[in-house]
Amino acid sequence: MLTPRQLFLRHQAQTSDFPLLLEIERAEGVYMYDAEGQRYLDLISGIGVSNVGHRHPRVLQAIQDQLDKYLHLMVYGEVVQAPPAQLAEALHQTLPAHLDNVYFTNSGTEAVEGALKLAKRHTGRTGLLSSYNAYHGSTHGALSITGSEGFKNAFRPLLPEVRHFRHNHFEDLQLINEHTAAVVIETVQGEAGVRVPAPGYLPALRQRCTEVGALLILDEIQCGFGRTGTFWAFEQFGIEPDILLTAKGMGGGMPIGAFISSQEIMAGFKTNPILGHCTTFGGHPVSCAASLATLRVIQEENLLAGVADKAARFRRQLVHPAIREVRNWGLLMAVEFESFEVLKPIIDHALWQEHILTDWFLFCDNSLRIAPPLTITDAQIDEACTALLRSINS
Ligand code: PMP
């Protein structure tokens, strides 16, 4: 009999020649365990997913309750099912009044796809703008607006009329014009290595979009659902989007995403053509039940309140001559080293000697990713920092 590791390498599609090959048997809270019972501290939450920790009891209970009722019933938008309906209302309660309509997807990239179509439908325009070094997903539309030529070249032709602006360069906002259907931007850039908008930048971007009638789409797939210390990151920047994207942490470990807008804009999918956007599984009742429980955990366990102090605790301890800079917005953190060649052995040492799981960023390979569950305790932060400093010194 082949082991799961052998089967993984032989039969599961690989996305690089150097997979991590960590094999996990179970997970709980901030910890994951291998078959030998070795405990690993998860400092990256499955890339921004396990914001409430692995297998949060309230999320498990919500899943269990839904399992006892029904699984898939019918394609999106036909049959009334309580979990997506209640989740849509709960999401709306966290948002400005005009963001009252939710379209559920299965993933982040699908939320991007739906939002791009909606913006084109609503404005009757075709131009799309996004930032260099932005990551928005791997399907053709989301890839088109991803701001890395290296990632895109092998897959052209992609969507036409896509242009990129330089993040935080106010003068590039003039690229937004009367042909622009939508501007897509991560409120805080993730894969670019945690890049925070300069003071006044997002308001200026918002204003330019409004001036020319372009929709502003905020991608909070990585930075939303509490990661930055407010439920949505945009709350801290004095702007509101026309369309908001969420996924990842939204499901508490289950696959789900959404694009959220106003009833008026979303109505574009109902006519000319009808079924303007369809999905079989979007809004799956089990994922929606898990997501609603996740939202309630963040609210009722007061997870947002601890984010700033926890981030500060990391920052105080992550001081070392080899660390060039620490960038963070809440518990989305990047610890910068001189190069990937310096960073990679630190990540490997942290994983295999210290049993701490970290990573680098897609478009910033000299920076260590720290994005732990928001439930991480002070003692666990201290444990992680001490171990990371040992790895840096090794
Ligand atoms: N947008 C952002 C900002 C992301 O970080 C990601 C995933 N890393 C995506 C979109 C795509 O999400 P998914 O992998 O669920 O398709």
Side-chain angles (χ1 to χ4, degrees), residues 88-337:
E89 194 267 344
L91 286 166
H92 168 55
Q93 292 298 327
T94 68
L95 287 165
H98 68 99
L99 296 174
D100 63 355
N101 231 247
V102 184
Y103 195 117
F104 291 112
T105 64
N106 306 286
S107 64
T109 201
E110 285 173 77
V112 174
E113 297 295 333
L116 295 182
K117 283 175 65 183
L118 186 62
K120 288 162 91 172
R121 177 73 180 81
H122 182 73
T123 60
R125 303 175 182 179
T126 44
L128 298 168
L129 269 147
S130 63
S131 164
Y132 287 110
N133 282 338
Y135 182 77
H136 294 295
S138 235
T139 51
H140 270 80
L143 183 62
S144 302
I145 58 161
T146 285
S148 157
E149 285 312 306
F151 254 65
K152 299 202 286 194
N153 276 338
F155 306 105
R156 290 192 186 282
L158 294 169
L159 282 182
E161 297 180 56
V162 172
R163 300 186 70 183
H164 300 298
F165 52 87
R166 293 168 298 171
H167 190 242
N168 278 344
H169 282 247
F170 285 71
E171 63 271 32
D172 284 11
L173 299 181
Q174 294 311 313
L175 291 170
I176 306 167
N177 60 34
E178 283 72 17
H179 303 290
T180 308
V183 177
V184 188
I185 187 167
E186 297 163 85
T187 313
V188 177
Q189 288 195 309
E191 297 309 319
V194 185
R195 307 291 169 177
V196 177
Y201 179 64
L202 288 181
L205 178 62
R206 169 71 271 183
Q207 194 189 338
R208 180 68 189 156
C209 288
T210 305
E211 265 165 31
V212 300
L215 297 190
L216 174 59
I217 301 176
L218 289 183
D219 180 342
E220 297 221 0
I221 289 167
Q222 190 164 159
C223 63
F225 256 75
R227 172 67 40 205
T228 68
T230 45
F231 198 87
W232 304 107
F234 73 79
E235 295 169 38
Q236 298 172 56
F237 296 98
I239 57 153
E240 294 176 3
D242 299 299
I243 305 177
L244 176 68
L245 310 178
T246 174
K248 283 186 178 282
M250 176 187 185
M254 291 293 283
I256 186 168
F259 54 104
I260 305 173
S261 190
S262 64
Q263 192 152 33
E264 181 212 341
I265 294 177
M266 208 67 96
F269 282 151
K270 292 198 294 188
T271 54
N272 300 321
I274 65 161
L275 302 175
H277 198 68
C278 302
T279 163
T280 297
F281 286 127
H284 193 281
V286 179
S287 292
C288 287
S291 178
L292 183 56
T294 301
L295 187 152
R296 294 289 180 233
V297 167
I298 292 171
Q299 290 174 332
E300 290 164 21
E301 294 187 7
N302 236 348
L303 293 186
L304 301 176
V307 168
D309 283 350
K310 289 175 184 183
R313 198 173 183 94
F314 272 107
R315 288 194 73 116
R316 273 199 305 278
Q317 295 180 71
L318 291 175
V319 177
H320 188 281
I323 295 176
R324 296 211 311 200
E325 185 185 33
V326 179
R327 292 180 297 276
N328 83 295
W329 203 254
L331 281 172
L332 188 56
M333 308 188 87
V335 184
E336 186 177 301
F337 293 84

